């Protein structure tokens, strides 16, 4: 049995849809039996829980739900104290508490919801971690020297070794054994004001001490677009940051995403109404802004536009 976990903090909105789409894409391409573990909090709605179950049933797979606040709330509070986050969104710490949530698993695949699993996840599961507690994919394989993390720019972590935390192969016992070290690393990340939270903390400790996995298990869609590579391969596609899918289906990576999304129970007539509402709200906002600009420049010969930052 393959075990894969998703972190889901906002179980009431669009993040549940993204997580469900990723899960469906995994089931669609995987021959072996899979148990997907949803790490969630009290925000997971009954409706979305039912949709996750429906997807698993359609593919003859399993899904289990783990309320991390109930299971590991005390441990989460320690990370929140080590690195306070103003928004209160503590989902960054979910991978660091897997020893509390999955104490009986030897290993688990850890995934972000902004992924499409366009390959058999059994190929990733087949890797033997051996002496390592973490299997990861270096961001250098995707970005090269472009846009290195600040922890790399300050020469604390080598840019070639810096890995992304949204696709990981993990041993839960490893996080139990290294708990205090990881907690101290989070405190140091806060002191240094490094922004990537658990990713920076894990890299600070284990950037060289991990099983280095191939790029195909965490392929950045934004980099593919930047490099003008437009071909669908057997990869795990990561729609990270500004590469999140949009409605331009001439883009093959958007099209790939929606081919999976349209198979989920979230793809209903309601999505068209939601799109219309968003467009109308944006139109009303821009209309007011343009009226303001027109009044502002109507009696002036020159205008200087300056970014607020």
């Amino acid at each position: 049995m393959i075990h894969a976990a998703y972190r889901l903090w906002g179980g009431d909105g669009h993040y549940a849809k993204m997580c469900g789409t990723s899960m469906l894409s995994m089931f669609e391409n995987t021959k072996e039996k899979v148990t997907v573990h949803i790490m969630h909090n009290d925000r997971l709605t009954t409706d979305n829980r039912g949709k996750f179950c429906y997807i698993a049933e359609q593919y003859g797979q399993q899904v289990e739900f783990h309320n991390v606040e109930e299971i590991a709330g005390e441990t989460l509070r320690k990370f929140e104290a080590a690195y306070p986050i103003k928004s209160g969104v503590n989902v960054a710490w979910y991978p660091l508490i897997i020893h509390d949530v999955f104490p009986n698993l030897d290993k688990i695949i850890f995934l972000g919801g902004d992924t499409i699993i366009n390959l058999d996840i059994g190929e990733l599961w087949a890797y033997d971690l051996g002496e390592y507690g973490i299997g990861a994919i270096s961001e250098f394989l995707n970005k090269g020297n472009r846009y290195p993390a600040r922890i790399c720019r300050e020469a604390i972590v080598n840019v070639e070794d810096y890995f992304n935390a949204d696709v990981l192969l993990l041993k839960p016992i490893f996080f139990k054994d290294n708990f205090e070290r990881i907690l101290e690393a989070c405190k140091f990340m806060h002191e240094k004001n490094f922004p990537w939270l658990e990713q920076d903390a894990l890299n600070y400790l284990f950037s060289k001490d991990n099983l280095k996995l191939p790029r195909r298990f965490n392929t950045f869609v934004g980099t593919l677009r930047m490099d003008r590579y437009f071909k669908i391969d057997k990869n795990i596609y990561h729609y990270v940051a500004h590469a999140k899918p949009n409605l331009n289906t001439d883009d093959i990576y958007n099209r790939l995403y929606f081919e999976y999304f349209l198979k989920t129970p979230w793809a209903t007539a309601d999505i068209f109404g939601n799109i219309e509402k968003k467009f109308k709200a944006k139109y009303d906002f821009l209309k007011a802004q343009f009226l303001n600009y027109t009044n502002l420049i109507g009696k002036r010969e020159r205008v200087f536009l300056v970014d607020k930052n």
Side-chain angles (χ1 to χ4, degrees):
M1 175 69 76
I2 297 170
H3 293 274
Y6 287 95
R7 49 175 146 187
L8 180 63
W9 189 84
D12 53 350
H14 72 273
Y15 289 107
K17 299 180 181 70
M18 294 189 74
C19 184
T21 304
S22 179
M23 184 177 81
L24 183 144
S25 70
M26 183 197 306
F27 292 157
E28 183 101 352
N29 292 291
T30 301
K31 301 182 182 69
E32 299 176 56
K33 288 296 182 182
V34 181
T35 297
V36 163
H37 302 269
I38 307 293
M39 299 174 70
H40 66 92
N41 54 28
D42 293 335
R43 291 174 58 122
L44 178 60
T45 65
T46 302
D47 179 61
N48 282 332
R49 181 189 290 261
K51 287 181 168 68
F52 285 123
C53 292
Y54 175 81
I55 292 171
E57 290 169 4
Q58 291 295 106
Y59 288 90
Q61 301 286 16
Q62 297 181 44
V63 60
E64 296 181 1
F65 301 92
H66 308 267
N67 189 324
V68 295
E69 291 292 343
E70 295 177 358
I71 299 169
E74 184 177 339
T75 309
L76 282 171
R77 300 294 87 79
K78 293 179 181 179
F79 285 108
E80 290 170 353
Y83 195 130
I85 302 172
K86 291 181 180 179
S87 67
V89 179
N90 63 3
V91 70
W93 312 129
Y94 285 13
L96 310 184
I97 63 168
I98 59 170
H99 56 287
D100 280 356
V101 183
F102 309 109
N104 299 318
L105 293 183
D106 293 329
K107 68 177 178 179
I108 193 164
I109 297 169
F110 196 87
L111 297 163
D114 54 353
T115 52
I116 287 294
I117 320 297
N118 202 48
L119 50 70
D120 191 323
I121 201 67
E123 296 174 23
L124 175 54
W125 183 254
Y127 277 81
D128 183 2
L129 284 169
E131 64 188 76
Y132 299 111
I134 299 174
I137 299 89
S138 168
E139 290 198 351
F140 186 80
L141 298 177
N142 278 289
K143 303 190 301 183
N145 285 314
R146 291 178 291 195
Y147 317 117
R150 189 154 66 84
I151 197 171
C152 298
R153 297 199 304 272
E154 296 190 12
I156 295 174
V157 172
N158 191 309
V159 68
E160 286 88 355
D161 294 322
Y162 186 82
F163 60 81
N164 182 267
D166 263 356
V167 180
L168 297 169
L169 185 62
L170 305 174
K171 288 181 181 177
I173 190 65
F174 177 82
F175 288 82
K176 181 179 180 180
D177 293 343
N178 289 277
F179 179 79
E180 292 299 331
R181 290 182 67 200
I182 295 171
L183 190 62
E184 287 302 313
C186 291
K187 292 178 183 177
F188 181 57
M189 295 304 101
H190 182 252
E191 291 170 7
K192 296 286 289 182
N193 197 31
F194 287 144
W196 302 122
L197 305 173
E198 85 291 7
Q199 183 168 289
D200 283 341
L202 290 175
N203 273 280
Y204 174 66
L205 294 174
F206 309 115
S207 63
K208 290 187 178 297
D209 189 19
N210 67 83
L211 179 64
K212 299 186 184 303
L213 298 169
R215 178 194 186 193
R216 65 194 182 95
F217 292 124
N218 191 350
T219 304
F220 288 9
V221 170
T223 301
L224 295 175
R225 288 173 176 152
M226 194 181 304
D227 293 341
R228 305 195 63 77
Y229 183 88
F230 297 106
K231 178 185 174 184
I232 299 298
D233 299 310
K234 291 295 182 181
N235 293 330
I236 295 178
Y237 287 103
H238 190 180
Y239 293 76
V240 63
H242 300 299
K244 287 199 167 30
N246 59 59
L247 296 179
N248 175 18
T249 54
D250 288 336
D251 177 282
I252 62 171
Y253 303 112
N254 286 337
R255 179 172 288 275
L256 175 73
Y257 192 93
F258 282 108
E259 283 173 353
Y260 287 115
F261 172 74
L262 289 173
K263 296 177 183 180
T264 74
W266 285 279
T268 67
D270 291 338
I271 64 175
F272 298 102
N274 293 335
I275 291 170
E276 196 275 339
K277 289 174 187 174
K278 288 288 184 181
F279 275 131
K280 187 175 187 307
K282 180 64 71 173
Y283 171 76
D284 290 342
F285 171 77
L286 290 176
K287 184 169 65 173
Q289 289 293 96
F290 281 125
L291 180 60
N292 183 47
Y293 298 152
T294 301
N295 292 334
L296 182 67
I297 68 176
K299 298 180 180 179
R300 289 165 174 81
E301 295 182 359
R302 286 187 289 178
V303 175
F304 294 90
L305 302 179
V306 183
D307 186 281
K308 68 179 181 179
N309 294 320

